Amino acid sequence: MEQYEPDSLSAAQLAAVRRSLTSGRGALTRRSMLRAGGVGALTVGGLASLSACGIPPARREGQGPASTDYSAKEKQLSFSNWTQYIDISEDEKSRPTLEAFTKRTGIKVKYTEDINDNVEFFGKIQPQLAAGQDTGRDLICVTDWLAARIIRLGWAQKLDPANLPNAYANLAPQFRRPDWDPGRSYSYPWTGISTVIAYNVKATGGRKVDSVTQLLDDPALKGKVAFLSEMRDTIGMTLLDMGKDPGTVTDADFDAALGRVQKGVDTKQIRRFTGNDYTSDLSKGDIAACLAWAGDLIQLQVDNPDIRFAIPAAGYMTSTDNLLVPANARHRTNAEKLIDYYYELPVAAQLAAYINYVCPVDGVKEELAKIDPELANNTLILPDKAMARKSHAFRSLTGEEETAYEEKFAKLIGA
């Protein structure tokens, strides 16, 4: 029988994955890099499984195979998530929102923090998904590019809107229509991840830094600027600054943005390309301004009042971690009830107050203010409407495009 290769990764793509996991966004702990432990290493098996041949999925293009649902008979579900990505009690012995869900519904949740990185986790579940088997998980949380891959391969179950009234009503507009899951038929966001501009006001001599043009052209910042080692973030932010939409990027657009950043390298305006290790240099002032992930900045600002952030007038990049029900999961309805539960405003506020990432639930501000008024007014957690309108996502790339783009970007940053 002819073997089916599910979107194998090129050498350039694998290199990008390694960068992400060792110092990039994949290396961020999901509560905060400064509050929690690190991330597990990328395993050889994880990389191999993502690029290895497998048997064909039952269907393609997001049409996940039908599965028998045992939710009515079995009041349980298994939920796999990242570490430190849910609320925990002060004594660290319980997860209050999960316990409240079980008390209300009678559905017991087996909650496992077994996602250390997207590639490694996919390596665990890919053989079972490819073979049409139950992974033993009813709900998983993966980053948008992997969610897109799983949906495209037909390995996610289509969600029943009848079981998701809160999720359907309360999902923030900026997250409603990703090109890889229009209308959110197969996924709902757990959190959003924003890329913005950060600067140390002491290191800039009191001046605000609020555009990629300023990062690349301001002579006062020469040698004190950092861009990110994640291709979609650095090129996406540069495209926006050039008046181009990352959601419709062409090869010519990409090359133009790449050239713009290359000039910053050649003139030594850019000090280096970083993962989350920019945080230390930014706090010390060795880096005066940089592209940064919003999840870092809330804690950085607590520790250092000189740290500021800016949303460029041209816009900013956003991505998501997403909840999916794997193909052949036994308890789809129970999983849908849990997804919907986290879109109830008081529950969403409790989660946001703990993890401090972008909350994808619209209308949660009043509930969050009851917990912490300062967090409720922080646009890094709750983007206001003006900020939300400026958010952009990098469009889904074909395997060929991703290989070409990552190869060019790797050459640019010297990876």
Side-chain angles (χ1 to χ4, degrees):
M1 182 176 67
E2 183 180 357
Q3 290 289 292
Y4 170 70
E5 187 172 358
D7 298 320
S8 60
L9 295 187
S10 68
Q13 289 171 296
L14 293 178
V17 168
R18 292 189 183 98
R19 287 199 307 274
S20 176
L21 295 171
T22 56
S23 62
R25 191 164 60 208
L28 293 173
T29 58
R30 283 342 211 218
R31 184 180 179 197
S32 169
M33 180 195 70
L34 301 179
R35 297 187 190 181
V39 174
L42 175 64
T43 64
V44 173
L47 283 171
S49 68
L50 195 56
S51 58
C53 293
I55 62 175
R59 303 183 189 178
R60 294 299 309 275
E61 300 304 326
Q63 297 182 19
S67 177
T68 303
D69 189 357
Y70 296 90
S71 293
K73 296 180 180 180
E74 301 174 0
K75 295 293 185 180
Q76 64 189 57
L77 72 94
S78 178
F79 180 9
S80 285
N81 205 349
W82 300 78
T83 59
Q84 298 290 321
Y85 216 19
I86 201 169
D87 55 304
I88 302 175
S89 62
E90 289 295 328
D91 61 9
E92 298 187 353
K93 294 182 179 180
S94 65
R95 299 180 176 92
T97 55
L98 284 181
E99 289 194 352
F101 174 77
T102 297
K103 184 176 181 179
R104 182 200 297 182
T105 64
I107 299 171
K108 295 182 179 179
V109 181
K110 179 184 177 183
Y111 185 82
T112 308
E113 294 180 330
D114 62 344
I115 304 180
N116 290 316
D117 65 67
N118 287 289
V119 175
E120 181 186 51
F121 181 68
F122 188 70
K124 294 177 183 179
I125 64 175
Q126 185 266 350
Q128 294 160 305
L129 290 171
Q133 299 172 351
D134 178 12
T135 66
R137 299 166 176 87
D138 301 297
L139 193 63
I140 61 175
C141 182
V142 294
T143 305
D144 45 19
W145 69 265
L146 181 55
R149 180 186 294 268
I150 291 172
I151 292 169
R152 185 172 63 248
L153 292 171
W155 292 344
Q157 294 194 46
K158 192 170 185 177
L159 303 175
D160 184 352
N163 295 325
L164 297 159
N166 292 300
Y168 182 82
N170 295 335
L171 178 60
Q174 73 183 95
F175 298 111
R176 284 188 176 270
R177 295 176 181 85
D179 66 355
W180 48 269
D181 187 17
R184 292 290 181 179
S185 296
Y186 295 87
S187 68
Y188 270 90
W190 181 249
T191 55
I193 304 168
S194 300
T195 303
V196 299
I197 291 176
Y199 60 100
N200 183 321
V201 70
K202 186 175 181 180
T204 64
R207 293 185 307 121
K208 182 178 182 179
V209 180
D210 60 3
S211 72
V212 171
T213 291
Q214 193 173 356
L215 290 175
L216 289 173
D217 296 340
D218 187 343
L221 298 177
K222 186 174 182 178
K224 294 185 177 181
V225 170
F227 275 54
L228 291 167
S229 59
E230 294 276 357
M231 181 269 289
R232 287 171 176 81
D233 294 316
T234 283
I235 297 300
M237 291 290 282
T238 305
L239 284 166
L240 289 171
D241 189 72
M242 297 170 66
K244 302 289 186 177
D245 183 1
T248 58
V249 60
T250 65
D251 291 350
D253 293 337
F254 181 88
D255 288 344
L258 196 77
R260 180 92 172 90
V261 180
Q262 182 68 60
K263 181 179 178 182
V265 174
D266 295 341
T267 61
K268 301 189 185 306
Q269 179 78 8
I270 297 175
R271 181 187 184 99
R272 63 191 182 99
F273 293 87
T274 73
N276 56 21
D277 49 323
Y278 65 79
T279 54
S280 176
D281 285 348
L282 182 64
S283 292
K284 292 185 294 184
D286 293 340
I287 290 175
C290 62
L291 297 183
W293 292 303
D296 289 335
L297 300 182
I298 295 170
Q299 184 62 34
L300 281 177
Q301 289 179 320
V302 170
D303 297 336
N304 185 344
D306 292 328
I307 303 300
R308 310 288 168 83
F309 76 93
I311 305 300
Y316 67 100
M317 296 301 294
T318 189
S319 59
T320 51
D321 283 335
N322 308 273
L323 300 173
L324 288 83
V325 178
N328 296 301
R330 291 176 63 90
H331 310 108
R332 189 201 70 192
T333 299
N334 290 344
E336 290 167 340
K337 289 180 179 178
L338 186 63
I339 294 172
D340 197 60
Y341 169 73
Y342 278 101
Y343 275 78
E344 295 179 12
L345 301 185
V347 182
Q350 190 169 345
L351 179 65
Y354 186 83
I355 64 176
N356 292 176
Y357 277 79
V358 177
C359 180
V361 182
D362 201 19
V364 77
K365 185 172 183 176
E366 184 176 336
E367 292 294 335
L368 186 55
K370 296 176 183 178
I371 300 172
D372 189 327
E374 186 174 343
L375 292 180
N377 290 313
N378 193 322
T379 54
L380 295 179
I381 297 175
L382 297 181
D384 56 26
K385 291 183 179 180
M387 179 174 170
R389 284 194 294 268
K390 293 181 179 180
S391 70
H392 296 264
F394 212 101
R395 73 167 172 86
S396 297
L397 300 175
T398 65
E400 292 79 7
E401 287 175 326
E402 186 160 2
T403 295
Y405 290 6
E406 287 291 0
E407 284 179 348
K408 292 178 180 179
F409 187 71
K411 183 178 180 181
L412 167 69
I413 68 175

